[in-house]
Amino acid sequence: MKLVFLISLFSITLASAKTVARIADFGGKSFLFYENGASKEIQYADKIPDQSQLMVDDQAYVTLVDDHGNIHYLAGGSFVKIYNNMLEVQNGYVWTKAHSERPSLINTINSVTKFEKGEYITTVNSLEKKSQLLVLFGQATFASSTEPNLSIPVRSGEFTFIDQDYENGLPRRPTRVGIASYQQVKSVFANISSLKTDKFEEQFLQGKPKAGIKRQIASVESAHKTKDIPHASSSHKRGSVMYIKTYGGEQKREPQSVKKPVGAYDYYKSVKKSVKKVNKAPVKYYGFDFKKAPKTSAKSSVISVPVRPSVQKTDRQPASVRPTSNVAPKQTIINDINSVFEKSYKSNLRQNLKHSDEVNELIDELKTFRKDFKKSY
């Protein structure tokens, strides 16, 4: 029974509040907060009562239509409060298309905008306490909330702002908006299809393209230019190609300045000189008898080469291995002396120990004891 009473009370409260706007379109998640503290996620065609607050998610958007026919497009991250004939933007971006001749208001944290039929973009940064107005079409009056009587007019293609740190919070003189600034603001509303228009760029930023002029390739002349040529006919007949045959039959005609290439044989004939043959005088010898040496063939001249004796191969052994035979007598004597010394040294070493066996064992144990107590081996 108590639950039924609360539901009926809530419905009576909503019915008593005046409806000032409706949800025309939305994307993502957004939430509506009523004046009595209740909240809900918005749906299509929801009624928005007076003094309600609307919070739009960062990746969402909402389209509102108020009772005067004005359309408000709320971008992601916006937070507004809806009144009768007034929209209070507390943070975010709002694109307004006013279709009513009746004046309406848009309030922010530090500004008041009065507008009529036209298009306007309101930007509010609550952290920096800065409000900005961009007028696309139409005219609006912009003033500070502390000095509402000191308003300035803002016309189409102009923007202004109010900053607490600039001129004591008074609005700045309106200036023309640039294409880079406009495109930056427009990119915030990229997910709203109904705002994808180039009407503002064509009228205020780039100008409308002239009708009847088409862009063509520079090397291709248009058809109307042939009228200025005296010998050009109106029928635009195709030209013919004329072939001119040179004289000389099949001989190739070349420019006169081009010389014929000179070959190597032709150059040799041009520089070759004729050498006269000289008769050689005979030489005679007197008082000597010359005899011709007998001719010897290549087969008879054979040189005998002495044959070297063959060397017997021996097995190669390591250098540390002593040969078993052919040892020098001096080396054997030294080896004998060394062996006698080693034998006497080993026999006397046991007798002349520094310590006894018990002491040596104790020393060894002490050494191992020290190693055990080290941190690491």
Side-chain angles (χ1 to χ4, degrees), residues 153-182:
V154 186
R155 298 174 177 84
S156 300
E158 295 180 347
F159 80 100
T160 182
F161 66 87
I162 291 178
D163 194 346
Q164 295 299 118
D165 299 331
Y166 180 80
E167 293 185 357
N168 298 323
L170 295 178
R172 197 192 72 169
R173 183 175 60 87
T175 56
R176 286 294 276 194
V177 65
I179 185 170
S181 301
Y182 171 72

Side-chain angles (χ1 to χ4, degrees), residues 40-224:
K40 61 165 291 187
E41 185 177 347
I42 64 170
Q43 301 294 331
Y44 179 73
D46 276 350
K47 297 179 180 180
I48 300 177
D50 190 13
Q51 299 184 16
S52 300
Q53 292 180 336
L54 182 62
M55 185 179 68
V56 184
D57 190 64
D58 292 339
Q59 304 298 326
Y61 70 91
V62 175
T63 303
L64 296 178
V65 180
D66 60 16
D67 53 352
H68 297 285
N70 301 323
I71 304 174
H72 304 279
Y73 301 92
L74 280 64
S78 300
F79 186 69
V80 299
K81 190 171 183 178
I82 302 97
Y83 294 91
N84 184 19
N85 199 29
M86 187 181 72
L87 182 69
E88 182 179 335
V89 183
Q90 299 179 1
N91 188 71
Y93 297 82
V94 178
W95 188 319
T96 301
K97 288 186 178 182
H99 298 285
S100 176
E101 299 291 342
R102 183 180 176 182
S104 301
L105 296 175
I106 293 180
N107 286 3
T108 66
I109 54 177
N110 53 7
S111 69
V112 178
T113 304
K114 187 177 181 180
F115 62 92
E116 294 179 0
K117 188 176 182 179
E119 290 189 29
Y120 315 92
I121 298 178
T122 306
T123 305
V124 178
N125 191 337
S126 59
L127 296 178
E128 297 180 0
K129 295 181 179 180
K130 183 178 180 180
S131 301
Q132 178 177 297
L133 174 66
L134 171 60
V135 179
L136 301 179
F137 304 101
Q139 181 175 342
T141 57
F142 191 67
S144 173
S145 57
T146 57
E147 297 289 343
N149 296 326
L150 299 177
S151 61
I152 57 173
V154 186
R155 298 174 177 84
S156 300
E158 295 180 347
F159 80 100
T160 182
F161 66 87
I162 291 178
D163 194 346
Q164 295 299 118
D165 299 331
Y166 180 80
E167 293 185 357
N168 298 323
L170 295 178
R172 197 192 72 169
R173 183 175 60 87
T175 56
R176 286 294 276 194
V177 65
I179 185 170
S181 301
Y182 171 72
Q183 289 179 352
Q184 183 179 1
V185 176
K186 187 179 178 181
S187 63
V188 180
F189 303 90
N191 55 351
I192 304 177
S193 59
S194 58
L195 297 178
K196 294 180 180 179
T197 176
D198 298 330
K199 184 178 178 181
F200 180 75
E201 291 96 320
E202 294 174 357
Q203 187 168 348
F204 292 99
L205 299 180
Q206 297 176 349
K208 294 183 179 180
K210 296 180 180 180
I213 299 177
K214 296 181 180 180
R215 187 174 182 181
Q216 295 180 351
I217 303 173
S219 59
V220 179
E221 296 183 354
S222 58
H224 69 274

Side-chain angles (χ1 to χ4, degrees), residues 227-243:
K227 297 180 181 179
D228 301 332
I229 303 173
H231 61 274
S233 62
S234 59
S235 59
H236 305 292
K237 294 181 179 180
R238 296 180 62 183
S240 60
V241 180
M242 183 181 296
Y243 295 93

